[in-house]
Amino acid sequence: MPLINVIPGDKIPMAPMNVRLPAWRVPGWLLVFWWLARGLFRLTVLAIRYWWLTGPAALALWIRAEFGGLALTGVTLAVAAGCVGWWRWHPSSWLRFGWYPLVARVRALVVYRRRWASVMATCGLATAFAGDRYVPQLLRVRCDRYGDELTVRLLPGQIPDDWGQAAERLAYAFRLRTGQARSTDRPDRVVLRLVRRDPLAEVVGPLPVAEVPDFDGLALGVNENGHTYRLRLSGSHVLIAGATGSGKGSVLWSLIRALAAGIRSGLVEVWAFDPKGGMELAAGVPLFARFVYDDPDSMAGVLEEAVKRMRLRAARLRGVTRQHVPTPQDPLLVLVVDELAALTAYITDRKVRDRIKESLGLLLSQGRAVGVHVVAALQDPRKDVLPFRDLFPTRIGLRLTEPEQVDMVLGDAARDRGALCDRIPESSPGVGFVVLDGVREPVRVRFAYLTDDDIRQLGHDYRHPATPTTARG
């Protein structure tokens, strides 16, 4: 045995340890049993998860085994007859509780879950950490006549805007038309709306006139779910922007039509401003308490008159109420301006232009609470043309020519949230996106179209009692 020379202060090297671990021997039958148990557990989970397939299949097999194939055929025909009878007797409830839930489950299995992980990865919504892959969880799929709504649980670090920016890519990935994401009451979830069939492809005709206008929900058109779209006028001003031929007149006349019963009863006064010589609004002169066109000085004077009326009403309501309630003696005042830029930017007389801007600024900043509302349309959304954008709580973007104009009209990042105004085709006038203050997601709407005959008939049926016999210039 060799000797080891130890120098004082040095450490003595330790001998290598030779540890013998016990060997575990697992019988082969136990491995087979474990493999079969795991497979059976997975089948059980799948059977429970897809009960709507396994349940009827198990019931059909049991009937076949117990009573024979003839009984199974009879039960199948009876169920089919019951479904047909339900559809014929009450089609709306059949579609809501019978057909669309079944379509949703089939599409969730065949269309979405089958490709979910790969689509999430290619659209940049999946991530990896420490060698593990994380994919947003698809919680539920709901279907209706026009599209699918997917409820998804967000990954940590994701926000609804991430899904809004990827919505169009997701729609194309699943071979659908368009997509839009919106937030929910729960901060960890987002709803992705994918459109199969565009409900706004056809022109929307004039909607029925309510006997008493609901200022909290005026029916103006149809939204992308196929339901009537209602716009809140109470406590708001409305800005409408769109290129030539985009359908600004559809929005204005739909709004005036929704107010028509109130106009006839004196509950509403509409003051119309048409700087284009009256070409757009002249057909509805009987509906207007005031109608001015052409002369900028006259328009400035009428706006100053509206400011004076607003201040008198504010002085009367001060300390009494915080929100004006319209009555025939104290009606709602709606100022309709067909081309706002003609009043704020294109007037050469600087003094008149400054008077108009000052009046509009006062009306927009102080008029909502006292029942004075401005509804303005324009074509050019540049900042120097539209200095009052932030004073309009309700903004409507129709077809626009450039992507940058979308955010100019509807607010920052509106296009990223799905307001693709620059992609609205010229063949779809009246289609646009509505953005409300405090609501992140835009709503896609097609506003009702009124022909010249419809407008003339509207003026004949709902003439304002104080309408002047001649238009004022």
Side-chain angles (χ1 to χ4, degrees), residues 270-341:
V270 176
W271 293 12
F273 299 78
D274 194 345
K276 295 186 295 185
M279 292 300 296
E280 177 63 36
L281 301 179
V285 166
L287 299 165
F288 306 142
R290 302 292 296 272
F291 179 53
V292 289
Y293 59 93
D294 262 350
D295 183 11
D297 189 64
S298 297
M299 296 181 192
V302 175
L303 287 172
E304 290 169 347
E305 185 178 341
V307 171
K308 181 178 179 180
R309 185 167 174 177
M310 175 190 71
R311 286 174 170 169
L312 291 174
R313 181 178 290 178
R316 188 174 67 253
L317 298 178
R318 186 180 301 116
V320 179
T321 181
R322 294 187 299 172
Q323 184 65 47
H324 171 260
V325 178
T327 63
Q329 295 74 31
D330 197 14
L332 192 79
L333 181 57
V334 181
L335 308 179
V336 176
V337 184
D338 179 46
E339 182 51 62
L340 183 62

Side-chain angles (χ1 to χ4, degrees), residues 240-245 248 276 339-341 377-381 400 405:
I240 308 156
T244 302
K248 295 186 291 297
K276 295 186 295 185
E339 182 51 62
L340 183 62
L378 81 164
Q379 296 182 21
D380 189 353
L400 296 170
Q405 293 179 345

Side-chain angles (χ1 to χ4, degrees), residues 345-373:
Y346 301 153
I347 295 178
T348 56
D349 191 330
R350 182 176 179 180
K351 292 183 179 180
V352 174
R353 186 172 66 246
D354 291 342
R355 287 170 56 197
I356 291 175
K357 285 187 175 181
E358 181 181 1
S359 298
L360 284 173
L362 292 171
L363 291 169
L364 290 170
S365 60
Q366 303 175 21
R368 290 184 295 164
V370 295
V372 179
H373 305 278

Side-chain angles (χ1 to χ4, degrees), residues 231 237-242 246-253 255 336-340 375-380 386 392 394-398 400 409 447:
L231 181 139
H237 302 296
V238 182
L239 175 66
I240 308 156
S246 61
K248 295 186 291 297
S250 295
V251 186
L252 293 176
W253 285 115
L255 179 62
V336 176
V337 184
D338 179 46
E339 182 51 62
L340 183 62
V375 179
L378 81 164
Q379 296 182 21
D380 189 353
L386 180 59
F392 287 93
T394 302
R395 297 185 286 272
I396 301 173
L398 302 172
L400 296 170
V409 175
F447 295 91

